[in-house]
Amino acid sequence: MQIGFIGVGLMGGPLARNLIRAGKNVLVFDLSEEAVKRTLAVGTTGKAAAAVADLASCDIVFTSLPLPQHIKGVVLGETGLYAKMRKGALHIELSTIDPGAANEMRAAAEKAGLGYLQCTLGKTPAHAEKAEEPMFIGGEKALYAANEDLFKVIGIPSYVGTVDASCAVKLISNMIGMTNLAVLAEGIKVGDKAGLDRTLLLELLSDTGARSFQMDVRGPWIAADDYNPRFGLDLALKDVRLGLEMARAWDLDLKAMEAALVYYKNASAEGYGKEDCNAVAKVVGK
């Protein structure tokens, strides 16, 4: 089996490396030569592709790219990958995208005689590197079943049903997480005004209903004014925006998350987009 992998950055790179570590034949493409070199360094069964078109003969092609338009630009249209792939091949899409974009690609893949699975990811690049990444997979169940063992090589797969469901799980997770982070930042800001030491405040809150994943992970970073990028603020903004676009399309008015979106937009506008998403703390309370 020949596997293709397009996009080997923070999230795609670890997953591609897991395939190579397992001895799978993987053809890798990325605009960053450094990312490709880092991915191929873990084994001998990976090779670099000179162009996206080189992956047309692959049995399975994974994509892990920043935005929906990037993925659609690669696979759709007369010059896209779908027009060149062999009948019966499979596209597995790993990015955080909206259901509309995912279903557009699913329909185009089916028209071209290809399979399509949406596989959104639940945790961090560190989890992905250890093959501990939760994977929320949607699409035709028979396609999932036929490739379940491959998914287990690169992460912890869960079949969630439809393509819509796969997209929604990740977007819901990120909307809740980023809204929690904004609320945490607000709480820390109030603590500052009260004269509370940030580290002490977090310690006291950790045994209350205020505790959350964001408090445990990013609370200490905010307390130390550490905004080094682990998950960039602009990426968080993109995910919250896509999630709310999804919710609005389903006639939902999510007021708390809409308020959080404004914070992330403001933080990006003030130049914090390349910092960690906890840099939202720099604009709360203004």
Side-chain angles (χ1 to χ4, degrees):
M1 176 189 295
Q2 180 64 61
I3 298 170
F5 214 108
I6 302 172
V8 288
L10 284 176
M11 291 303 297
L15 302 183
R17 288 192 284 274
N18 290 339
L19 292 169
I20 295 170
R21 290 183 186 109
K24 306 296 183 183
N25 294 316
V26 185
L27 192 58
V28 174
F29 179 82
D30 196 287
L31 295 176
S32 166
E33 291 184 12
E34 179 58 35
V36 172
K37 289 179 181 177
R38 187 164 56 248
T39 299
L40 299 183
V42 300
T44 60
T45 58
K47 294 182 179 179
V52 168
D54 294 345
L55 282 71
S57 61
C58 291
D59 301 291
I60 298 174
V61 174
F62 288 86
T63 52
S64 179
L65 298 169
L67 295 170
Q69 57 263 38
H70 297 145
I71 311 149
K72 290 194 290 183
V74 165
V75 302
L76 300 182
E78 293 181 2
T79 60
L81 205 53
Y82 286 175
K84 301 170 184 176
M85 292 172 69
R86 64 166 185 80
K87 303 291 184 184
L90 173 63
H91 176 202
I92 300 175
E93 213 303 289
L94 300 166
S95 313
T96 302
I97 61 174
D98 60 285
N103 278 301
E104 182 181 351
M105 288 187 285
R106 177 192 56 78
E110 290 178 359
K111 186 176 180 180
L114 308 172
Y116 181 91
L117 289 173
Q118 186 66 39
C119 174
T120 55
L121 307 171
K123 289 188 177 178
T124 67
H127 291 92
E129 199 74 62
K130 297 183 289 184
E132 295 175 354
E133 188 72 26
M135 309 172 78
F136 311 120
I137 303 162
E140 186 180 333
K141 191 168 187 178
L143 275 178
Y144 168 74
N147 293 280
E148 185 176 7
D149 288 343
L150 183 64
F151 284 120
K152 289 179 178 178
V153 169
I154 57 178
I156 303 171
S158 295
Y159 179 71
V160 298
T162 63
V163 165
D164 283 11
S166 173
C167 293
V169 171
K170 180 58 180 293
L171 291 174
I172 292 167
S173 171
N174 283 2
M175 284 192 296
I176 292 172
M178 292 305 120
T179 303
N180 282 347
L181 180 56
V183 171
L184 171 64
E186 287 185 335
I188 291 173
K189 183 74 70 174
V190 175
D192 289 345
K193 291 294 185 181
L196 281 160
D197 176 80
R198 289 181 174 184
T199 300
L200 174 61
L201 174 62
L202 292 170
E203 181 181 339
L204 296 173
L205 292 178
S206 68
D207 196 31
T208 75
R211 187 176 184 182
S212 68
F213 172 86
Q214 296 292 4
M215 178 180 287
D216 289 348
V217 174
R218 288 190 163 84
W221 298 344
I222 295 174
D225 287 319
D226 176 359
Y227 304 107
N228 292 314
R230 287 87 167 181
F231 182 73
L233 187 138
D234 276 347
L235 287 175
L237 169 58
K238 181 265 293 186
D239 289 354
V240 176
R241 176 181 57 78
L242 288 176
L244 285 168
E245 287 174 358
M246 173 184 73
R248 294 182 205 121
W250 293 336
D251 296 322
L252 296 172
D253 181 14
L254 307 180
K255 291 180 173 59
M257 292 177 179
E258 292 282 3
L261 178 63
V262 173
Y263 272 142
Y264 288 97
K265 284 181 175 178
N266 291 344
S268 181
E270 291 195 21
Y272 306 131
K274 302 303 181 185
E275 298 184 15
D276 192 79
C277 53
N278 70 340
V280 72
K282 296 182 178 183
V283 301
V284 299
K286 289 187 176 181

